Amino acid sequence: MGRIIAVANQKGGVGKTTTAINLSACLAEKKQKVLTIDMDPQGNTTSGLGVDRNIQENTVYELLIGECMIDECIVHTDIEGLDLIPSNINLSGAEIELIGIDRKEYILKEAIKEVKDDYDKIIIDCPPSLNMLTVNAMTTADTILIPIQCEYYALEGLSQLMQTIELVKKRLNPTLEMEGIVFTMYDARTNLSLQVVENVKDFLKEKVYKTIIPRNVRLAEAPSHGLPINLYDSKCSGAEAYRLLADEVIHRGEDD
Ligand SMILES: Nc1ncnc2c1ncn2[C@@H]1O[C@H](COP(=O)(O)OP(=O)(O)O)[C@@H](O)[C@H]1O
Ligand SMILES: [Mg+2]
C-alpha cells in the first residue's frame, strides 16, 4: 500500500519545495511510482518539475473546488514514474471559496482516494502557513516530513507546528504519524549548522533522518531549468543527499 507524505513547516524558505521536488524525483529514480501534489499557490514544485504552471487547465485548485475530476488534473511529467497535480496562483483563492463548505478539511483526501493505490508514494508540498490547504494536506497524509533549515532561528515556530499536527491528529486524522525531520542547507564550514542539529535533536524526540541535506548551489539552480537535481547534476552533493533520503524513506521503520 502506498504512503502519503506531507512536507510541512509553516516557515518559508526552509527547503520544503526543494525536498518535495527532489525526494519525489529520487524515489521515481528508484522505480517507485510517485504522485507529487503541489499545494502551494506559488507553484514552485510544479515549475521545478518542468511543468508550465500557467497553461494548466486543471490544477489542484479546480480539484478542491469541485470543477474537475482527479484524472483530469494529473499531469505525467517528463520524469519516468512521476506524476504531478500542479498548482498556480489561482490556488490562493481556494481558502475563501471553501468557507462554509461541508467537511472542507477532507476535500483533498476524498478527491485523491481513487488514485491513492496507483502510487507507492504521494508527496504533498505544503504552503508556508498553517491554513486550510495545509490542514487538507495533513488530513490526507499518513505521515508528515518536516524540513528544518540549519540556521539560528531553526526552532522558532516548531512548537506551533507540533501543536497543529496534534490537533489534526485528534480531530481529523487519528492515524497521522511523524515521518521524520530532515535538516536542510547544512553548511559544514560553520559550527552553527552542527549546533542547530544538536539543539533540535535535544528539543524534539521525533525521528531525525541520518541524511542531512547540504547547502549546495546546484539545488538552487536546478528549478530554473525545470529539472530535479538528479537530472540536472546527477553527481553533485545535493543529488547524492536526496538519493540517500529517498532510501531512508523507502526503508522507513526497517532499521529503527
Ligand atoms: N540544500 C540547499 N542548498 C542551497 N539552496 C537551497 C537548498 N535548499 C533550498 N535552497 C534554496 O532556498 C530557497 C528556499 O527553498 P524552498 O525549497 O523553496 O523552501 P520552502 O519551500 O520551504 O519555502 C530556494 O531558493 C531554494 O532554491
Ligand atoms: Mg515552498
Side-chain angles (χ1 to χ4, degrees), residues 134-147:
T134 300
V135 169
N136 259 272
M138 289 183 178
T139 304
T140 306
D142 296 309
T143 63
I144 301 205
L145 194 160
I146 304 178

Side-chain angles (χ1 to χ4, degrees), residues 11-19 185 213-217 219-220:
K11 259 178 128 175
V14 299
K16 288 181 292 297
T17 296
T18 305
T19 298
M185 297 180 236
I213 310 299
R215 187 172 278 286
N216 177 205
V217 66
L219 284 168

Side-chain angles (χ1 to χ4, degrees), residues 76-247:
H76 303 298
T77 69
D78 289 341
I79 302 154
E80 206 186 323
L82 205 171
D83 288 350
L84 169 77
I85 302 183
S87 117
N88 59 31
I89 195 68
N90 293 342
L91 183 59
S92 57
E95 177 102 24
I96 288 174
E97 293 192 43
L98 294 180
I99 289 175
I101 300 272
D102 231 19
R103 288 173 59 81
K104 61 175 182 289
E105 300 87 353
Y106 297 92
I107 293 176
L108 183 67
K109 187 186 175 88
E110 295 292 330
I112 67 163
K113 212 159 59 183
E114 270 172 57
V115 300
K116 182 176 181 230
D117 292 333
D118 298 344
Y119 298 95
D120 298 307
K121 299 285 179 294
I122 297 178
I123 308 289
I124 310 176
D125 185 28
C126 292
S129 57
L130 297 171
N131 61 11
M132 190 46 61
L133 296 173
T134 300
V135 169
N136 259 272
M138 289 183 178
T139 304
T140 306
D142 296 309
T143 63
I144 301 205
L145 194 160
I146 304 178
I148 292 184
Q149 185 183 348
C150 295
E151 46 127 32
Y152 184 67
Y153 295 107
L155 283 169
E156 211 176 67
L158 270 184
S159 47
Q160 211 184 357
L161 177 60
M162 293 303 170
Q163 272 172 27
T164 304
I165 294 170
E166 279 311 309
L167 209 58
V168 169
K169 200 172 150 139
K170 206 160 109 193
R171 307 230 178 116
L172 301 166
N173 183 6
T175 58
L176 182 65
E177 287 178 25
M178 191 61 75
E179 176 75 32
I181 286 169
V182 61
F183 290 103
T184 64
M185 297 180 236
Y186 186 89
D187 189 343
R189 293 166 307 178
T190 68
N191 273 331
L192 178 63
S193 279
L194 193 64
Q195 273 170 26
V196 168
V197 171
E198 294 308 321
N199 282 352
V200 173
K201 276 186 179 167
D202 285 344
F203 177 75
L204 296 170
K205 303 287 168 265
E206 317 296 343
K207 179 195 160 76
V208 174
Y209 286 106
K210 292 192 197 86
T211 305
I212 293 180
I213 310 299
R215 187 172 278 286
N216 177 205
V217 66
R218 307 300 267 169
L219 284 168
E221 291 166 5
S224 61
H225 300 266
L227 291 170
I229 196 65
N230 56 322
L231 300 181
Y232 178 64
D233 184 351
S234 180
K235 293 203 163 64
C236 72
S237 63
E240 292 301 337
Y242 275 109
R243 281 194 190 98
L244 290 173
L245 183 65
D247 277 330

